[in-house]
């Protein structure tokens, strides 16, 4: 598992380093407002992976439990992949209809980039089916614990997210439209190459020639996926609604001052995610077999993640002003260093919460994590709006950190109950 964790970590850190270099250049070439819109579209393309309706995660669980029973597994994979293609197309259509009927006035962009923003969102809609299919294949590979290939593919996706836009603004055009088109092309490219490692486990011909899953198997997968989808809708909304509300209340330019440090903080979650990605199939395998080992792995994971991320967060708080001044500008640092410190506190709790989150879902109780996120969402959004109105982007950072602390408290409480239940049974 250590080797898999290192692969996951490496695949996330390298794109993050490229992003550190790319962001100042993109801001300079595109302008602060266009970059703010780009950061929203970056978020939106990733967020629309929700249109896999949790099937990617469900496939990870199914594959981890049935990988030695090919006859049962292949029909489930075929059914899941078809479902993700259909829902990805539906997701793209929904985004197109939203833009056609409502436009982008809710983003509060200036008139000079209004038409470009509309065109950029319409182009982004094309990438949604590519995103959902990729999510499904990734889930299958994780179920086979093929984390080396998952890590390589994740690294390619992360690099293309930054390198394609950089190539566009340097050699072709600074326009937001061209940059977003490059993101869609990169998503298509990444989707295609996901099929290469998949073929090492199951031939595409085998999948195409197999029957679809039975009604019972499909219902089981969709039930897990449905609750997973609810969690996948609400959780990213809590992570990303701040930038939409900031744009609406304060304007698109303010989004950049918030999202640049926020995105760096969020990208640091790749460090605990490198471990928890490998924990999910391991938890799934252990929860029926060895509760003592499960408990030991759970406790050890939280401890080491907490220590490591506390050290990193302290460094962020100490060097935030200096780092932002050197990286972007002193003016940018003046706007953003305080909220960076606040977000760094939330980073520690958000990192640790990934462990109980993975354990609860591995115990097949995805319904519980979904309900927790719904409760948090109901509390979070009104407070976020209020704090942005009264405290600006600093207020948004405060509410986000308070929300992730609450998330950690709730998840650890219920994870402990799940482990105790395991001892009882």
């Amino acid at each position: 598992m250590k080797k898999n964790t290192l692969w996951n970590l490496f695949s996330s850190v390298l794109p993050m380093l490229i992003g550190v270099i790319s962001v100042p250049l993109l801001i300079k070439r595109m302008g602060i407002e266009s970059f703010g819109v780009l950061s929203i579209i970056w978020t939106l393309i990733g967020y629309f992976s929700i249109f896999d309706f949790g099937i990617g995660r469900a496939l990870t669980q199914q594959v981890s439990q049935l990988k030695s029973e090919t006859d049962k597994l292949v029909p489930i994979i075929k059914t899941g992949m078809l479902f993700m293609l259909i829902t990805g197309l539906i997701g793209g259509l929904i985004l197109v209809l939203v833009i056609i009927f409502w436009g982008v006035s809710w983003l509060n962009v200036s008139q000079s980039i209004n038409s470009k923003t509309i065109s950029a969102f319409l182009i982004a809609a094309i990438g949604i089916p590519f995103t959902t299919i990729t999510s499904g294949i990734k889930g299958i590979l994780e179920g086979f614990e093929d984390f080396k290939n998952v890590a390589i593919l994740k690294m390619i996706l992360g690099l293309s997210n930054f390198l394609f836009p950089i190539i566009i603004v340097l050699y072709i055009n600074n326009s937001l439209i061209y940059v977003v088109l490059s993101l869609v092309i990169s998503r298509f490219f990444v989707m295609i190459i996901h099929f290469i490692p998949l073929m090492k486990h199951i031939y595409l011909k085998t999948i195409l020639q197999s029957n679809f899953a039975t009604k019972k198997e499909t219902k089981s997968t969709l039930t897990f996926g449905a609750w997973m989808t609810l969690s996948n809708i609400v959780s990213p909304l809590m992570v990303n609604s701040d930038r939409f509300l900031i744009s609406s209340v304060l304007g698109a330019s303010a989004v950049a001052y918030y999202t640049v440090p926020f995105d760096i903080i969020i990208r640091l979650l790749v460090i605990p995610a490198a471990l928890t990605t490998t924990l999910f199939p391991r938890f799934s395998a252990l929860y029926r077999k060895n509760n003592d080992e499960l408990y030991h792995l759970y406790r050890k994971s939280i401890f080491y993640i907490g220590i490591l991320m506390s050290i990193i967060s302290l460094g962020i708080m100490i060097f935030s002003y200096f780092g932002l001044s050197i990286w972007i500008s002193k003016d940018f640092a003046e706007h953003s260093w305080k909220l960076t410190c606040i977000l760094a506190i939330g980073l520690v709790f958000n990192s640790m919460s990934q462990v109980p989150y993975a354990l609860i879902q591995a115990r097949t109780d995805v319904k519980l994590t979904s309900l927790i996120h719904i409760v948090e969402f109901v509390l979070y959004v009104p407070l976020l709006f209020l704090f942005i109105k009264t405290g600006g982007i600093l207020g948004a950072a405060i509410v986000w950190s308070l929300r992730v602390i609450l998330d950690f408290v709730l998840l650890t409480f219920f994870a402990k109950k799940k482990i105790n239940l395991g001892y009882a049974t």
Side-chain angles (χ1 to χ4, degrees), residues 35-45 47 106-109 121 236-267 343 380 384 388 393 396-397 400:
F35 180 81
V37 175
L38 175 62
S39 70
I40 292 173
I41 291 177
W42 255 329
T43 300
L44 195 65
I45 291 176
Y47 178 72
W106 43 280
L107 287 178
N108 196 18
V109 297
F121 272 89
L237 272 177
M238 288 189 292
V239 173
N240 299 310
S241 58
D242 44 15
R243 63 194 66 198
F244 291 98
L245 284 176
I246 288 169
S247 181
S248 177
V249 176
L250 305 176
S253 296
V255 176
Y257 292 117
Y258 180 84
T259 58
V260 169
F262 183 87
D263 285 345
I264 291 297
I265 294 291
I266 288 297
R267 289 182 189 282
L343 293 172
Y380 177 65
L384 181 62
I388 291 174
I393 55 178
W400 181 82

Side-chain angles (χ1 to χ4, degrees), residues 271-272 303-313:
I271 298 172
F303 176 77
Y304 284 118
I305 287 175
I307 293 296
L308 176 61
M309 299 310 294
S310 293
I311 295 171
I312 292 172
S313 294

Side-chain angles (χ1 to χ4, degrees), residues 176-214:
L176 178 65
I177 295 173
Y178 283 89
V179 172
V180 173
L181 181 59
S182 76
L183 293 178
V184 173
I185 293 171
S186 73
R187 286 281 174 169
F188 176 76
F189 169 72
V190 170
M191 179 193 72
I192 294 300
I193 62 175
H194 265 71
F195 284 96
I196 297 173
L198 177 62
M199 296 305 102
K200 294 180 181 179
H201 300 284
I202 301 176
Y203 290 117
L204 183 59
K205 182 179 179 181
T206 302
I207 297 174
L208 294 174
Q209 291 180 346
S210 74
N211 296 320
F212 288 102
T214 65

Side-chain angles (χ1 to χ4, degrees), residues 17 45 53 79 130 145 167 172 174-175 193 198 219 222 258 313 320 347 386 400 402:
L17 293 176
I45 291 176
F53 284 93
T79 304
F130 307 149
E145 299 192 40
I167 292 170
I172 300 178
N174 291 340
S175 172
I193 62 175
L198 177 62
K219 182 179 178 181
L222 291 180
Y258 180 84
S313 294
S320 59
L347 172 65
L386 177 63
W400 181 82
L402 290 174

Side-chain angles (χ1 to χ4, degrees), residues 121-193:
F121 272 89
L122 292 175
I123 293 169
I126 300 171
I128 295 174
F130 307 149
T131 301
T132 57
I133 293 171
T134 301
S135 175
I137 301 174
K138 176 175 173 287
I140 296 168
L141 294 174
E142 288 178 351
F144 281 112
E145 299 192 40
D146 189 358
F147 291 106
K148 178 180 178 180
N149 281 315
V150 169
I152 293 171
L153 292 166
K154 183 179 179 181
M155 181 173 60
I156 293 171
L157 174 60
L159 289 173
S160 66
N161 264 339
F162 292 110
L163 291 180
F164 277 56
I166 286 296
I167 292 170
I168 292 297
V169 300
L170 285 178
Y171 300 108
I172 300 178
N173 197 297
N174 291 340
S175 172
L176 178 65
I177 295 173
Y178 283 89
V179 172
V180 173
L181 181 59
S182 76
L183 293 178
V184 173
I185 293 171
S186 73
R187 286 281 174 169
F188 176 76
F189 169 72
V190 170
M191 179 193 72
I192 294 300
I193 62 175

